[in-house]
Amino acid sequence: MAGNVTFTMIKPDATAAGHTGKIIDKIIESGFTIKAMKLTRLSKEEAGKFYEVHKERPFYGELVDYMTSGPIVAAILVKDNAVEDFRTLIGATDPQKAAEGTIRRMFATSIAANAVHGSDSDENALIEGAFYFSTREHA
Ligand code: ATP
Ligand code: MG
């Protein structure tokens, strides 16, 4: 059975453009409950670790630079079928390919600066949530 937790980041392009409030509204309207949330900044080391799976990809350096270019909002979200439903809500990685009404279609500027992150599995949702929040913060 699918889990009920996912993890998101509102990425630097979206926080810089002032979209944070609108994106959080859309997440709540879509039935997600916010279990933990913080406005923070990633160090190069943290961003590199978070996206370590992409280390061999050609865009890894660009991705780390971009993710450390400004503040991000990290959050743990709860809903039935959270991972899949949230990926549907954010849309495809490339905003030009994202469906109408999705967060990336509405707020992202490019495949790199694509407004939001969403976990891709129940296992990664837990790992990523623990990367930012202590157990006490999302108990
Ligand atoms: P995320 O993991 O951030 O939710 P995703 O799962 O849709 O995004 P991934 O394949 O995991 O996509 O890529 C991670 C991130 O790396 C993307 O969100 C984007 O910011 C960046 N990225 C992916 N592909 C490219 C690319 N071709 N060029 C530049 N940046 C890219
Ligand atoms: Mg991903």
Side-chain angles (χ1 to χ4, degrees), residues 9 11 50-51 53-54 57-60 62-63 66-67 87 90-94 104 110-114 116-120 128:
M9 286 184 286
K11 298 184 179 184
F50 190 90
Y51 281 113
V53 291
H54 298 306
R57 309 274 287 274
F59 58 81
Y60 181 70
E62 182 194 340
L63 178 59
Y66 157 63
M67 288 304 296
R87 298 284 300 192
I90 67 179
T93 309
D94 180 350
R104 282 171 168 164
S110 69
I111 191 167
N114 61 2
V116 279
H117 163 80
S119 302
D120 59 11
E128 291 169 3

Side-chain angles (χ1 to χ4, degrees), residues 3-115:
N4 67 347
V5 174
T6 193
F7 172 81
T8 188
M9 286 184 286
I10 302 175
K11 298 184 179 184
D13 58 300
T15 58
H19 294 322
T20 309
K22 285 172 276 182
I23 291 173
I24 293 170
D25 264 355
K26 199 156 165 59
I27 291 170
I28 294 170
E29 277 166 15
S30 304
F32 292 87
T33 302
I34 299 170
K35 210 172 184 196
M37 177 171 270
K38 69 169 85 159
L39 176 70
T40 184
R41 273 187 95 120
L42 288 170
S43 67
K44 295 260 178 203
E45 195 185 356
E46 288 165 337
K49 195 163 164 235
F50 190 90
Y51 281 113
E52 205 161 20
V53 291
H54 298 306
K55 206 163 56 194
E56 307 307 328
R57 309 274 287 274
F59 58 81
Y60 181 70
E62 182 194 340
L63 178 59
V64 169
D65 286 347
Y66 157 63
M67 288 304 296
T68 55
S69 66
I72 57 121
V73 174
I76 296 176
L77 306 174
V78 177
K79 183 184 184 292
D80 285 348
N81 201 37
V83 166
E84 192 187 343
D85 285 2
F86 194 71
R87 298 284 300 192
T88 302
L89 175 64
I90 67 179
T93 309
D94 180 350
Q96 293 194 333
K97 294 183 183 142
E100 204 63 56
T102 59
I103 291 176
R104 282 171 168 164
R105 180 64 175 260
M106 292 170 76
F107 301 111
T109 46
S110 69
I111 191 167
N114 61 2

